[in-house]
Amino acid sequence: MTLAEFFSCSLLAFGPPFAMFALTIANDPVRIIIMIAAAFGWLVSFLLSSLIWFAVSPLRSYLAFGMVFAIIMQEACRYGMYLLLRKTEAGLKEISENHEICSNKLEMAYVSGLGFGIMSGAFALVNVLADSVGPGSVGLKGGTEYFFVTSAAMTLCMILLNTFWSVIFFNGMDTKNYPKIMWVIGSHFFVSGLSLLNKKELYVVTILPSYIILIVTVVIAFKCAGGSSKGLIQSFTGRPLVVEN
Amino acid sequence: MGTKNFLYSVYLCFFITISFKVIRCERLREQIYSSIEGGAACFRRLNGTHQAGCSSSLNGEVGVVQMVYNISDAQWLVHNSTAGPYMAVVSTALYYDVIELLLQEPANIAGILLYDNATMSPEFFSQESKCPNEYSSDPHLSQCVKPGGIVWNEKGTGLLRRDIPYPIFFLPKTRIDDVSKIEDCYNRYNLDRDNQKGRPLCSLQLNSFMYAAVNSVVCMRRSASSVFLSSNKVCDPLGDYNVYYSLFPRAKETEATKKPVTLVTARIDSASLFDGIAPGAASSVVGMVAHIVTAATLSKMIPVTDSKLYDQNVLWTLFNGEAFDYIGSQRIAYDLSRGAWPPVAPLSPSDIRLHVELGQLGGSLSLFKSSASWPLYAFAPYSSTNATASKILEFLGEMSTYSSLNNITVSPKFTSNIPPSSLHSFRRILRNVTDSGSLLEILLVDHEENFSNLYYESALDDYEHIGYVYHNISISNEGVFISTDELLANGTMKETEAQVKIANLATTLAHTLYQQIAGKPYTGTVKASAHLVDEMLYCFLRSQACRLLLAADYASSPDEPPAERPLPLYVGVAAWASPPAVYAGHLLALLTGGHLRGNKSDCDNRADTGFSYYWLRGWNHSGVCIETTMNFSQAVSPAFIKSDYDLTSGEFSTWTESVWQAIWARVFVRASGAGARLAAVAGVLATAAAAVVTFWLQRDAALVFVDAPPSVAGIIRTVNC
């Protein structure tokens, strides 16, 4: 019963990112390198934020304090990743066998965002997963047994958000479009702030708005990447002649 | 941190757990599980042919909590429950009524948690068999198992000797909080009995995995390392030390000057089904305390320096391991039969004139708590028409002159049905002297038929059930105890109290023994002190951090006092010397031995072959050199020292105890599986959706992302050229 919980929660949290990784990243070594580099970047941000948390000992027990610095550090590292990728883009293209890489400028943003997200998701969920193996489940001191599935759903949301935040953030930087960057940082604070409500077991209140933010973020990222809804609809109805021209 | 520490809280928690551990961050694990501390587990013992006791699986048994409040709960559990296996949570008051039912149909039961409830104390509670030690009793002296025989331990359930298919844990009265914790959880989740399947249910996990299995032969073989394989020990033989002390030193005796001895014995050990709990108040402590106090009294009546005036000696012996097929007395009888006990100046069985055993004495103390009298019974394994019987009657006649002065009646019982005692060991192993009557045997107990102690060798055989109340009277620096008469006169104690009765018994027995060895009635004034009895009972029943044991401890041992709880009297494994025998031996030495002047090195350098010397703390804790004949001898069954012994023969005790690594219990809520199903469905859908969308967008990227921002074209072109 509980081993099923472990595997199904893992599937929920990491299945979609894995599918994305397998279809878009796994076939290109350069993308894999970038993804790993981004994951490392997230770890650096985590190390820095924990150092701050540790240094400011009187505020250690306040979750919100650590959270604020964790977000600031993550966004700083996202900016660092942006600078790094923009500096190394040409070189990466050189060593890549696939010269089609970077045909879309935001491809790297997507790859690094996924790396960022997967690492943050791994850290968020690994402890929870470790305890989901059983034989017990949450409930003795309050809480419901849906804790594990909500944790996994929230983790999935964060992974996807991080992916698309990177796309928006990189695009915002490229085009000096600061409202987009404000959206990234603002929604990051908002979603993380919502997760503080988990303490009060208001899962619906956390998850529903988070997924609404995710949908909005996906739409913005789609636009940033140059996606057009017309093109999307056309892709369903068949390939128009226009493109073949 | 809150209940649902998530994302960032988990980040932080993770960081703390792996790196600094500065502040206590509540892990999710602590939200899920609540451990049950202070539970004592039933463990596994093995004999030559069987295994007895409990074991869980390697990771512990998990079962749904079911509070058993009455018999119908237990019947429902066994016959009608649907979400099994279950953990039955049973109070000691209900134990007797439901245990057979739960053992008969173990399929639906994962284990039992037994708890003691101060408000509902059972009237009887014993896991010992109805006929304790029936397989090592002398068949001519035991009718317990025969139809029509007196069943000694009538309310015994015999769990101690049975192979129990699941773990059993015991929670003492002091841990009732844990029971209410379980009950709360049970009330929240498990009350709707008919719809338990597919719901989250309050559950218990009990872990008491035992390494040994099958029987002692198998586990000893597995424990022995061979040339080819090194192995881990899986079981150890039970055993400890017997204590003996002679009134006069015997070491320098020659064949010509050898004095016949009267052997006065009692037992040290008790048992219970559960690890670390063996209070044994009525089962053994009262007999042992009476024994030590009698020895102390007699040593005051006859100074050791007067040994030349007497042509008889008294050998006081405390047996250990008697609960498990008479380990201690079998060993001594065996050693006597081969001329090896005591190790210095061995006795031959014919040197022993009389054997008086102080058997189980405590049970009737509470029955007669409102009366000053205390009826005792002297069992003698002879027919009343026999010539031997008259010798016994002679002894009892002498005894009755003293006992009537002390409000005690001793009724003789000539019978071939002797309660469990070392008499059985002596009969079986030293048959030629015991049968012929050259070694007279008497057993003093407080019951005529069934045991008066209804908690025989159980976890509840404690001070409350013998009605013992501590008086806490201080002891002078010279170790002088207030006499019983004075205590009674000034109203500190009443004649009905256990302390006074035990002191009276000790006085009676000491005076009788005096008459035996001196050949004339005792006319002096030395009597056993109820004050001493009070202190000694406190040491063994309430707290080992007591005045007597502190004074009787080695002066060199560390100053920190022992824990303020009674010592479990379980015999333990032979590889470890357990404290009860050491305490009893030191008490005998302190109370009967000579207190010599001098310092520690003088004491260590003394070498009189008749005595041994102990540097103990003494009454004023400044150290005292004790000259005593007290000594210890091994109480390990002959089965483990005879090289060619067949462990399956049943001749000697073959008990071994399994090794275990961890014993723990925890309560938690088991998931119904709804969360897992939801996660699985959502996971499959999300993964499939992500795969389709990604695939679609990638395939049609050129079509969808028409306004893609261009790459940094300039550089690339130059590089690519």
PDB file of all heavy atoms in Angstrom, chain B residues 670-696:
ATOM      1  N   ARG B 670      -2.312   4.105   9.238  1.00  0.00           N
ATOM      2  CA  ARG B 670      -2.003   3.444   7.981  1.00  0.00           C
ATOM      3  C   ARG B 670      -2.903   4.022   6.903  1.00  0.00           C
ATOM      4  O   ARG B 670      -4.104   4.191   7.120  1.00  0.00           O
ATOM      5  CB  ARG B 670      -2.243   1.949   8.135  1.00  0.00           C
ATOM      6  CG  ARG B 670      -1.447   1.099   7.178  1.00  0.00           C
ATOM      7  CD  ARG B 670      -1.705  -0.345   7.434  1.00  0.00           C
ATOM      8  NE  ARG B 670      -3.078  -0.695   7.105  1.00  0.00           N
ATOM      9  CZ  ARG B 670      -3.572  -1.915   7.222  1.00  0.00           C
ATOM     10  NH1 ARG B 670      -2.819  -2.874   7.702  1.00  0.00           N
ATOM     11  NH2 ARG B 670      -4.818  -2.190   6.895  1.00  0.00           N
ATOM     12  N   ALA B 671      -2.338   4.306   5.725  1.00  0.00           N
ATOM     13  CA  ALA B 671      -3.116   4.921   4.653  1.00  0.00           C
ATOM     14  C   ALA B 671      -4.145   3.949   4.102  1.00  0.00           C
ATOM     15  O   ALA B 671      -3.952   2.739   4.126  1.00  0.00           O
ATOM     16  CB  ALA B 671      -2.178   5.376   3.547  1.00  0.00           C
ATOM     17  N   SER B 672      -5.224   4.504   3.602  1.00  0.00           N
ATOM     18  CA  SER B 672      -6.230   3.645   2.980  1.00  0.00           C
ATOM     19  C   SER B 672      -5.829   3.285   1.568  1.00  0.00           C
ATOM     20  O   SER B 672      -6.365   2.376   0.969  1.00  0.00           O
ATOM     21  CB  SER B 672      -7.562   4.381   2.941  1.00  0.00           C
ATOM     22  OG  SER B 672      -7.456   5.479   2.056  1.00  0.00           O
ATOM     23  N   GLY B 673      -4.893   4.039   1.008  1.00  0.00           N
ATOM     24  CA  GLY B 673      -4.491   3.803  -0.364  1.00  0.00           C
ATOM     25  C   GLY B 673      -5.155   4.766  -1.338  1.00  0.00           C
ATOM     26  O   GLY B 673      -4.801   4.815  -2.508  1.00  0.00           O
ATOM     27  N   ALA B 674      -6.104   5.582  -0.848  1.00  0.00           N
ATOM     28  CA  ALA B 674      -6.783   6.537  -1.726  1.00  0.00           C
ATOM     29  C   ALA B 674      -5.794   7.574  -2.248  1.00  0.00           C
ATOM     30  O   ALA B 674      -5.814   7.941  -3.426  1.00  0.00           O
ATOM     31  CB  ALA B 674      -7.917   7.218  -0.969  1.00  0.00           C
ATOM     32  N   GLY B 675      -4.906   8.022  -1.364  1.00  0.00           N
ATOM     33  CA  GLY B 675      -3.902   9.009  -1.777  1.00  0.00           C
ATOM     34  C   GLY B 675      -2.997   8.442  -2.846  1.00  0.00           C
ATOM     35  O   GLY B 675      -2.679   9.104  -3.830  1.00  0.00           O
ATOM     36  N   ALA B 676      -2.589   7.190  -2.653  1.00  0.00           N
ATOM     37  CA  ALA B 676      -1.702   6.549  -3.622  1.00  0.00           C
ATOM     38  C   ALA B 676      -2.398   6.390  -4.967  1.00  0.00           C
ATOM     39  O   ALA B 676      -1.809   6.613  -6.022  1.00  0.00           O
ATOM     40  CB  ALA B 676      -1.250   5.194  -3.088  1.00  0.00           C
ATOM     41  N   ARG B 677      -3.693   6.021  -4.924  1.00  0.00           N
ATOM     42  CA  ARG B 677      -4.430   5.848  -6.183  1.00  0.00           C
ATOM     43  C   ARG B 677      -4.570   7.180  -6.911  1.00  0.00           C
ATOM     44  O   ARG B 677      -4.347   7.267  -8.113  1.00  0.00           O
ATOM     45  CB  ARG B 677      -5.808   5.250  -5.898  1.00  0.00           C
ATOM     46  CG  ARG B 677      -5.767   3.754  -5.680  1.00  0.00           C
ATOM     47  CD  ARG B 677      -7.170   3.158  -5.721  1.00  0.00           C
ATOM     48  NE  ARG B 677      -7.991   3.642  -4.611  1.00  0.00           N
ATOM     49  CZ  ARG B 677      -7.993   3.098  -3.408  1.00  0.00           C
ATOM     50  NH1 ARG B 677      -7.217   2.059  -3.149  1.00  0.00           N
ATOM     51  NH2 ARG B 677      -8.758   3.571  -2.446  1.00  0.00           N
ATOM     52  N   LEU B 678      -4.879   8.211  -6.134  1.00  0.00           N
ATOM     53  CA  LEU B 678      -5.013   9.540  -6.731  1.00  0.00           C
ATOM     54  C   LEU B 678      -3.700   9.964  -7.369  1.00  0.00           C
ATOM     55  O   LEU B 678      -3.669  10.448  -8.509  1.00  0.00           O
ATOM     56  CB  LEU B 678      -5.441  10.540  -5.649  1.00  0.00           C
ATOM     57  CG  LEU B 678      -5.648  11.971  -6.112  1.00  0.00           C
ATOM     58  CD1 LEU B 678      -6.794  12.039  -7.112  1.00  0.00           C
ATOM     59  CD2 LEU B 678      -5.924  12.886  -4.930  1.00  0.00           C
ATOM     60  N   ALA B 679      -2.615   9.760  -6.635  1.00  0.00           N
ATOM     61  CA  ALA B 679      -1.311  10.147  -7.158  1.00  0.00           C
ATOM     62  C   ALA B 679      -0.976   9.360  -8.412  1.00  0.00           C
ATOM     63  O   ALA B 679      -0.410   9.901  -9.366  1.00  0.00           O
ATOM     64  CB  ALA B 679      -0.238   9.941  -6.091  1.00  0.00           C
ATOM     65  N   ALA B 680      -1.314   8.075  -8.416  1.00  0.00           N
ATOM     66  CA  ALA B 680      -1.003   7.249  -9.584  1.00  0.00           C
ATOM     67  C   ALA B 680      -1.775   7.724 -10.810  1.00  0.00           C
ATOM     68  O   ALA B 680      -1.205   7.897 -11.887  1.00  0.00           O
ATOM     69  CB  ALA B 680      -1.331   5.784  -9.281  1.00  0.00           C
ATOM     70  N   VAL B 681      -3.069   7.956 -10.636  1.00  0.00           N
ATOM     71  CA  VAL B 681      -3.894   8.410 -11.751  1.00  0.00           C
ATOM     72  C   VAL B 681      -3.392   9.762 -12.253  1.00  0.00           C
ATOM     73  O   VAL B 681      -3.141   9.964 -13.448  1.00  0.00           O
ATOM     74  CB  VAL B 681      -5.378   8.489 -11.319  1.00  0.00           C
ATOM     75  CG1 VAL B 681      -6.207   9.167 -12.393  1.00  0.00           C
ATOM     76  CG2 VAL B 681      -5.904   7.108 -11.015  1.00  0.00           C
ATOM     77  N   ALA B 682      -3.196  10.694 -11.303  1.00  0.00           N
ATOM     78  CA  ALA B 682      -2.736  12.028 -11.691  1.00  0.00           C
ATOM     79  C   ALA B 682      -1.365  11.952 -12.340  1.00  0.00           C
ATOM     80  O   ALA B 682      -1.098  12.641 -13.327  1.00  0.00           O
ATOM     81  CB  ALA B 682      -2.699  12.923 -10.454  1.00  0.00           C
ATOM     82  N   GLY B 683      -0.507  11.102 -11.805  1.00  0.00           N
ATOM     83  CA  GLY B 683       0.840  10.982 -12.354  1.00  0.00           C
ATOM     84  C   GLY B 683       0.825  10.468 -13.773  1.00  0.00           C
ATOM     85  O   GLY B 683       1.521  11.001 -14.638  1.00  0.00           O
ATOM     86  N   VAL B 684       0.040   9.427 -14.015  1.00  0.00           N
ATOM     87  CA  VAL B 684      -0.028   8.868 -15.366  1.00  0.00           C
ATOM     88  C   VAL B 684      -0.585   9.911 -16.338  1.00  0.00           C
ATOM     89  O   VAL B 684      -0.026  10.135 -17.419  1.00  0.00           O
ATOM     90  CB  VAL B 684      -0.904   7.588 -15.372  1.00  0.00           C
ATOM     91  CG1 VAL B 684      -1.234   7.174 -16.790  1.00  0.00           C
ATOM     92  CG2 VAL B 684      -0.205   6.469 -14.634  1.00  0.00           C
ATOM     93  N   LEU B 685      -1.666  10.582 -15.934  1.00  0.00           N
ATOM     94  CA  LEU B 685      -2.276  11.591 -16.813  1.00  0.00           C
ATOM     95  C   LEU B 685      -1.299  12.729 -17.094  1.00  0.00           C
ATOM     96  O   LEU B 685      -1.110  13.145 -18.240  1.00  0.00           O
ATOM     97  CB  LEU B 685      -3.558  12.135 -16.177  1.00  0.00           C
ATOM     98  CG  LEU B 685      -4.734  11.157 -16.135  1.00  0.00           C
ATOM     99  CD1 LEU B 685      -5.945  11.818 -15.486  1.00  0.00           C
ATOM    100  CD2 LEU B 685      -5.083  10.672 -17.543  1.00  0.00           C
ATOM    101  N   ALA B 686      -0.664  13.233 -16.021  1.00  0.00           N
ATOM    102  CA  ALA B 686       0.236  14.380 -16.197  1.00  0.00           C
ATOM    103  C   ALA B 686       1.415  14.013 -17.078  1.00  0.00           C
ATOM    104  O   ALA B 686       1.814  14.778 -17.975  1.00  0.00           O
ATOM    105  CB  ALA B 686       0.714  14.862 -14.826  1.00  0.00           C
ATOM    106  N   THR B 687       1.963  12.822 -16.835  1.00  0.00           N
ATOM    107  CA  THR B 687       3.124  12.411 -17.627  1.00  0.00           C
ATOM    108  C   THR B 687       2.733  12.246 -19.099  1.00  0.00           C
ATOM    109  O   THR B 687       3.452  12.711 -20.003  1.00  0.00           O
ATOM    110  CB  THR B 687       3.691  11.092 -17.070  1.00  0.00           C
ATOM    111  OG1 THR B 687       3.912  11.249 -15.673  1.00  0.00           O
ATOM    112  CG2 THR B 687       4.987  10.721 -17.753  1.00  0.00           C
ATOM    113  N   ALA B 688       1.603  11.598 -19.340  1.00  0.00           N
ATOM    114  CA  ALA B 688       1.156  11.403 -20.715  1.00  0.00           C
ATOM    115  C   ALA B 688       0.892  12.755 -21.378  1.00  0.00           C
ATOM    116  O   ALA B 688       1.324  13.003 -22.521  1.00  0.00           O
ATOM    117  CB  ALA B 688      -0.110  10.537 -20.723  1.00  0.00           C
ATOM    118  N   ALA B 689       0.228  13.651 -20.663  1.00  0.00           N
ATOM    119  CA  ALA B 689      -0.073  14.961 -21.228  1.00  0.00           C
ATOM    120  C   ALA B 689       1.218  15.709 -21.563  1.00  0.00           C
ATOM    121  O   ALA B 689       1.362  16.287 -22.646  1.00  0.00           O
ATOM    122  CB  ALA B 689      -0.915  15.771 -20.241  1.00  0.00           C
ATOM    123  N   ALA B 690       2.166  15.661 -20.599  1.00  0.00           N
ATOM    124  CA  ALA B 690       3.430  16.362 -20.841  1.00  0.00           C
ATOM    125  C   ALA B 690       4.139  15.793 -22.056  1.00  0.00           C
ATOM    126  O   ALA B 690       4.677  16.532 -22.886  1.00  0.00           O
ATOM    127  CB  ALA B 690       4.317  16.252 -19.596  1.00  0.00           C
ATOM    128  N   ALA B 691       4.113  14.459 -22.184  1.00  0.00           N
ATOM    129  CA  ALA B 691       4.790  13.831 -23.309  1.00  0.00           C
ATOM    130  C   ALA B 691       4.141  14.243 -24.624  1.00  0.00           C
ATOM    131  O   ALA B 691       4.823  14.610 -25.587  1.00  0.00           O
ATOM    132  CB  ALA B 691       4.751  12.311 -23.134  1.00  0.00           C
ATOM    133  N   VAL B 692       2.806  14.211 -24.687  1.00  0.00           N
ATOM    134  CA  VAL B 692       2.111  14.553 -25.932  1.00  0.00           C
ATOM    135  C   VAL B 692       2.369  16.008 -26.299  1.00  0.00           C
ATOM    136  O   VAL B 692       2.729  16.331 -27.446  1.00  0.00           O
ATOM    137  CB  VAL B 692       0.593  14.273 -25.769  1.00  0.00           C
ATOM    138  CG1 VAL B 692      -0.189  14.890 -26.924  1.00  0.00           C
ATOM    139  CG2 VAL B 692       0.344  12.785 -25.679  1.00  0.00           C
ATOM    140  N   VAL B 693       2.206  16.898 -25.327  1.00  0.00           N
ATOM    141  CA  VAL B 693       2.376  18.328 -25.614  1.00  0.00           C
ATOM    142  C   VAL B 693       3.802  18.624 -26.072  1.00  0.00           C
ATOM    143  O   VAL B 693       4.037  19.313 -27.066  1.00  0.00           O
ATOM    144  CB  VAL B 693       2.007  19.170 -24.372  1.00  0.00           C
ATOM    145  CG1 VAL B 693       2.427  20.624 -24.554  1.00  0.00           C
ATOM    146  CG2 VAL B 693       0.528  19.061 -24.083  1.00  0.00           C
ATOM    147  N   THR B 694       4.766  18.049 -25.348  1.00  0.00           N
ATOM    148  CA  THR B 694       6.157  18.289 -25.720  1.00  0.00           C
ATOM    149  C   THR B 694       6.436  17.779 -27.125  1.00  0.00           C
ATOM    150  O   THR B 694       7.044  18.465 -27.959  1.00  0.00           O
ATOM    151  CB  THR B 694       7.088  17.585 -24.711  1.00  0.00           C
ATOM    152  OG1 THR B 694       6.652  17.876 -23.398  1.00  0.00           O
ATOM    153  CG2 THR B 694       8.519  18.047 -24.888  1.00  0.00           C
ATOM    154  N   PHE B 695       5.959  16.562 -27.363  1.00  0.00           N
ATOM    155  CA  PHE B 695       6.186  15.968 -28.684  1.00  0.00           C
ATOM    156  C   PHE B 695       5.551  16.827 -29.776  1.00  0.00           C
ATOM    157  O   PHE B 695       6.169  17.133 -30.789  1.00  0.00           O
ATOM    158  CB  PHE B 695       5.587  14.553 -28.695  1.00  0.00           C
ATOM    159  CG  PHE B 695       5.644  13.906 -30.041  1.00  0.00           C
ATOM    160  CD1 PHE B 695       6.849  13.417 -30.534  1.00  0.00           C
ATOM    161  CD2 PHE B 695       4.496  13.797 -30.824  1.00  0.00           C
ATOM    162  CE1 PHE B 695       6.903  12.820 -31.772  1.00  0.00           C
ATOM    163  CE2 PHE B 695       4.555  13.211 -32.068  1.00  0.00           C
ATOM    164  CZ  PHE B 695       5.752  12.710 -32.551  1.00  0.00           C
ATOM    165  N   TRP B 696       4.333  17.252 -29.537  1.00  0.00           N
ATOM    166  CA  TRP B 696       3.580  18.043 -30.530  1.00  0.00           C
ATOM    167  C   TRP B 696       4.275  19.363 -30.818  1.00  0.00           C
ATOM    168  O   TRP B 696       4.505  19.724 -31.965  1.00  0.00           O
ATOM    169  CB  TRP B 696       2.169  18.281 -29.989  1.00  0.00           C
ATOM    170  CG  TRP B 696       1.225  18.741 -31.054  1.00  0.00           C
ATOM    171  CD1 TRP B 696       0.977  20.034 -31.411  1.00  0.00           C
ATOM    172  CD2 TRP B 696       0.452  17.915 -31.905  1.00  0.00           C
ATOM    173  NE1 TRP B 696       0.080  20.074 -32.431  1.00  0.00           N
ATOM    174  CE2 TRP B 696      -0.269  18.780 -32.766  1.00  0.00           C
ATOM    175  CE3 TRP B 696       0.285  16.528 -32.050  1.00  0.00           C
ATOM    176  CZ2 TRP B 696      -1.149  18.295 -33.741  1.00  0.00           C
ATOM    177  CZ3 TRP B 696      -0.586  16.070 -33.003  1.00  0.00           C
ATOM    178  CH2 TRP B 696      -1.290  16.934 -33.838  1.00  0.00           C
TER     179      TRP B 696
END
